[in-house]
Amino acid sequence: MSAVLIENAHIAPVAGPEIPSGHIHVEGDRIVALGAGPAPAVPGAVRIDATGCLATPGLVNTHHHLHQWASQGLAQNATLFEWLATLYPVWAAMDAEVVRGAAGAGLGHLALSGCTTSADHHYLFPRGRGDLFAAEVEAAARVGLRFHPARGSMDRGESQGGLPPDSVVERLDEILAATADAVDAHHDPSFSSKLRVAVAPCSPFSVSADLMRESAALARSKGVRLHTHLAETLDEERHCLEQAGMRPVAYMDRLGWLGPDVWFAHAVHLSDSDIEALARTGTGSAHCPSSNGRLGSGIARVSEMLERGANVGLGVDGSASAELTSLHGEMRQTLLFQRARYGPAALDARQALELATLGGARNLGRERELGSLEAGKLADIALWRIDGAFTSAVADPVCALVLGGDRPPLARLLVGGETVVEDGELRTVPQDELGRAGAEAGRRLMRLAERV
């Protein structure tokens, strides 16, 4: 790989002071230096003139369900439990071809919104439908993003007091074996890794206590992270109180699911003691404001969580509950939702950018490698063009990025120093092809669902 020199950019490194006009020097897949003024002379380097651009770390998405790209626009006015009851039968028909097309489109859409690393939580594995987990891994490799797929699971159907129909759950022994196989086949723990696997039983209302305990033991034996949905709705809270006799965070604590290797999706309905527990144990959370708003779930106490030292990253959540949501847009949604709840000083633009970058990297256990522009970290860099006819009217580049309703065009998106997006177009794979494959995945899923 050639050296890359980015010049004349306004640099917002997230860690450290901003540089109004500076350079970033990349060698291989690492940042080796950044600073004010012109770039040094480096023979053979590729020079990128970033005049009029804001340089930020690539955004990090910490919660998604990529297969849902194929089921957007359904159950539009439903609560979470109503929405799930409508969509479980549809998702039960998915196969590897659906997942491959949906994941490619979803990841391409994320790249165009400045995302360089994405998690995914895939927890439905209908029998006889191919290797769904491998299908999304293949899609991520093709698009070129760093990928953190979480092998999800459900073992508690309606007959055992769970929410999902029995037809979409798996047996405990099958889940543990398949999860171990997924980690062994795909997980790369190296510094430069573009593929890491997490263990992710779905939620308290679809998973047995035994599966939660066994999954935690499996993950820790293999040195990988843990992820699940938690405290998303008041319905879930009532379910936990009725079934376990305690609130969701206390239930997770009893099961051994608090710690620095755990991050939860949503964490909307938290008590003061819940927040303190997350902060004390180093447990992270993925805030998904658009999905929470779309389903009427509530507004998470993000500002209070940050004040008390709990880590928060951002997630777009699945496209069936957050249609066409961009990770860039979740920065703005987060800021506006927090100010609507707490007032104008609740969260500022730079804090929102940190949630979308370093906060996400911490959730994934990758703050040493990702989330800020620093020498020695991986060269995952977004160059946002802020000198457009209208964008240039905003005096503060970070404000233009976060508070502006329209996403600034991406001049360049680098993942490990390699170009994934240039001048607003994917360069790793034809984006029209990805879009068509995503649309066809939706049509195929609906055809398959009619036969189930």
Side-chain angles (χ1 to χ4, degrees), residues 198-201 215-216 219-220 224-228 256-257 261-264:
V199 177
S215 293
R220 287 165 179 150
V224 301
R225 299 181 76 75
L226 288 161
H227 182 52
T228 192
W257 266 73
D261 58 348
V262 179
W263 87 104
F264 297 131

Side-chain angles (χ1 to χ4, degrees), residues 128-436:
R129 300 285 180 164
D131 192 337
L132 278 60
F133 198 81
E136 64 172 10
V137 168
E138 292 163 12
R142 191 161 179 247
V143 175
L145 298 191
R146 295 190 199 281
F147 195 41
H148 282 238
R151 206 294 180 180
S153 53
M154 299 189 294
D155 72 335
R156 189 163 166 255
E158 288 175 315
S159 65
Q160 296 181 329
L163 184 68
D166 290 346
S167 61
V168 299
V169 302
E170 301 171 276
R171 295 198 316 267
L172 175 60
D173 58 341
E174 293 176 329
I175 290 167
L176 295 174
T179 303
D181 288 347
V183 175
D184 292 343
H186 299 292
H187 183 70
D188 174 7
S190 70
F191 188 93
S192 297
S193 174
K194 295 183 75 172
L195 182 60
R196 291 192 183 175
V197 178
V199 177
C202 182
S203 64
F205 52 81
S206 61
V207 169
S208 68
D210 285 344
L211 177 55
M212 294 299 288
R213 292 191 190 96
E214 293 289 340
S215 293
L218 173 63
R220 287 165 179 150
S221 73
K222 291 186 174 293
V224 301
R225 299 181 76 75
L226 288 161
H227 182 52
T228 192
H229 297 95
L230 196 75
E232 183 175 359
T233 67
L234 291 174
D235 286 339
E236 177 192 328
E237 183 176 299
R238 284 189 287 269
H239 183 92
C240 277
L241 288 168
E242 291 168 3
Q243 299 281 330
M246 59 189 70
R247 291 168 52 84
V249 171
Y251 182 51
M252 291 296 104
D253 191 16
R254 189 176 78 179
L255 297 174
W257 266 73
L258 296 185
D261 58 348
V262 179
W263 87 104
F264 297 131
H266 302 298
V268 175
H269 296 283
L270 301 180
S271 67
D272 288 349
S273 61
D274 292 338
I275 295 174
E276 294 295 343
L278 298 187
R280 184 181 66 256
T281 59
T283 307
S285 62
H287 178 49
C288 307
S290 291
S291 177
N292 296 157
R294 201 269 208 193
L295 294 170
S297 301
I299 301 174
R301 298 170 65 182
V302 170
S303 296
E304 294 180 77
M305 294 167 75
L306 295 175
E307 287 172 2
R308 299 182 194 187
N311 187 67
V312 181
L314 298 185
V316 298
D317 205 2
S319 299
S321 67
E323 284 81 356
L324 300 174
T325 293
S326 73
L327 188 53
H328 163 268
E330 293 298 71
M331 291 191 289
R332 184 172 189 264
Q333 290 283 73
T334 298
L335 186 152
L336 296 180
F337 275 33
Q338 293 306 297
R339 291 188 179 193
R341 178 166 183 164
Y342 297 109
L347 198 74
D348 65 33
R350 284 160 178 81
Q351 288 175 300
L353 176 61
E354 182 173 349
L355 294 181
T357 52
L358 193 53
R362 292 189 186 110
N363 273 350
L364 301 182
R366 302 202 68 176
E367 62 271 28
R368 292 189 310 114
E369 305 108 286
L370 309 173
S372 59
L373 301 180
E374 299 179 74
K377 285 198 168 186
L378 295 170
D380 291 7
I381 303 168
L383 295 179
W384 309 89
R385 186 154 293 288
I386 54 169
D387 60 352
F390 300 105
T391 315
S392 59
V394 183
D396 176 0
V398 177
C399 174
L401 174 68
V402 174
L403 278 174
D406 294 329
R407 180 176 74 235
L410 272 175
R412 194 76 67 113
L413 186 73
L414 302 179
V415 179
E418 297 185 344
T419 296
V420 172
V421 176
E422 184 176 3
D423 296 330
E425 292 280 334
L426 284 169
R427 293 292 183 247
T428 49
V429 61
Q431 67 187 49
D432 288 348
E433 176 188 321
L434 284 184
R436 288 192 298 271

